[in-house]
Amino acid sequence: MSKPGQQVISRLRQMILSGELESGQRLAEIPTSEQLGVSRTPVRIAFRALEQEGLLTKLAGRGYSVRQVTQDEISGSIEVRGVLEGLAARQAAENSLSTSQSKELIELLKQGDELFENGSINEQDLTKYHDMNRRFHQIIIEASNNPAIAEALSRNEHLPFASVSALAFDRTNLKQEYRRFNFAHMQHHAVFDAINNGQSSRAEAIMREHANATLGYAKIFSQMEDSNDKMQVIQSR
């Protein structure tokens, strides 16, 4: 998928997640493309992708509407992904990585290190992270040698925010987003270390926790920043 297309999908996800696009709100290509400052083509692609993810509903006429999504639904779908990917990591550790799988994972980790070394992240960086992240997870699933895991994950991906590719990016809080995605990347290092050393239980636990990183840690870091802001106010008095 093109970079503009991926960025539009990410931006619309975030707008739905934040409530900027409300449940039941009608969306059409032209006004959405004008709002986002892009052509109609990436918007059309984004609408179709978000319909597949369970975030939009195609209307009988033209356009789409924002589907009502509950926090329980999001949490449930992410938990299922965590269980499935945790099992994949466990079995990958038990099977041992092939030489080619190990080399590619190491290269992906290096790419991630370079992405985060400047201490900041932007929307263009997210496109790079998206591709790197998707391939990292794919290799682990392949290394499990269990086709049933890939099949189950494919079905689960039609639920809101269940796909490993369903990344949302808040452009209004770049500091938070850097922390969130950098933390997720550090978990990539940890799960690779566990798999590479045959630590199956550790690999499974890290991968299950990792499934919550793209959404759950945004709230944690927001709370941390709020606490820090309050502390600074108290100290300045």
Side-chain angles (χ1 to χ4, degrees):
M1 183 181 295
S2 67
K3 290 183 179 180
Q6 186 57 51
Q7 288 170 8
V8 170
I9 292 174
S10 173
R11 197 175 303 180
L12 289 174
R13 275 198 206 101
Q14 179 61 31
M15 293 169 74
I16 293 171
L17 184 64
S18 67
E20 183 177 349
L21 293 177
E22 298 179 348
S23 173
Q25 183 173 338
R26 294 173 65 97
L27 299 178
E29 289 181 16
I30 294 178
T32 302
S33 64
E34 292 175 348
Q35 179 183 3
L36 299 181
V38 297
S39 67
R40 294 175 61 182
T41 299
V43 171
R44 185 181 306 119
I45 294 171
F47 282 173
R48 291 173 181 170
L50 295 176
E51 180 191 9
Q52 289 295 311
E53 291 180 17
L55 294 177
L56 297 181
T57 300
K58 187 171 179 59
L59 300 175
R62 291 184 176 181
Y64 293 78
S65 67
V66 179
R67 181 174 169 270
Q68 182 176 8
V69 180
T70 66
Q71 185 60 48
D72 286 345
E73 188 175 6
I74 295 174
S75 298
S77 62
I78 291 176
E79 184 175 2
V80 169
R81 175 161 69 87
V83 170
L84 292 170
E85 291 197 329
L87 176 61
R90 167 182 279 278
Q91 294 184 340
E94 292 171 346
N95 296 333
S96 297
L97 297 168
S98 68
T99 301
S100 61
Q101 288 170 340
S102 181
K103 285 183 178 180
E104 188 172 1
L105 286 172
I106 290 172
E107 177 58 32
L108 291 169
L109 290 173
K110 288 181 179 178
Q111 292 176 20
D113 292 342
E114 293 172 359
L115 189 65
F116 294 104
E117 67 181 358
N118 294 327
S120 62
I121 190 172
N122 57 38
E123 208 162 7
Q124 287 70 40
D125 293 330
L126 182 64
T127 301
K128 298 177 184 178
Y129 180 85
H130 170 274
D131 296 340
M132 177 200 72
N133 182 59
R134 181 175 58 181
R135 182 56 185 156
F136 185 91
H137 285 249
Q138 185 179 20
I139 293 172
I140 292 175
I141 293 166
E142 292 171 356
S144 73
N145 294 331
N146 187 342
I149 294 177
E151 177 65 26
L153 282 168
S154 177
R155 295 183 181 182
N156 192 57
E157 285 181 354
H158 295 292
L159 298 174
F161 294 98
S163 171
V164 68
S165 298
L167 304 179
F169 186 77
D170 185 357
R171 297 188 301 162
T172 66
N173 197 337
L174 297 181
K175 182 178 179 181
Q176 168 188 286
E177 295 302 75
Y178 172 80
R179 286 179 172 180
R180 182 160 67 101
F181 286 104
N182 186 49
F183 188 92
H185 178 60
M186 291 300 99
Q187 288 181 316
H188 282 176
H189 274 282
V191 76
F192 170 75
D193 179 74
I195 292 173
N196 198 44
N197 287 288
Q199 299 169 336
S200 57
S201 296
R202 176 171 170 248
E204 180 175 19
I206 296 171
M207 203 64 172
R208 290 186 66 163
E209 176 65 17
H210 178 61
N212 294 295
T214 53
L215 287 175
Y217 288 103
K219 297 179 181 178
I220 293 175
F221 289 136
S222 292
Q223 292 169 359
M224 288 171 57
E225 288 177 355
D226 288 343
S227 297
N228 289 338
D229 290 341
K230 291 177 181 177
M231 183 63 68
Q232 289 174 3
V233 170
I234 292 174
Q235 291 174 344
S236 64
R237 290 178 179 175

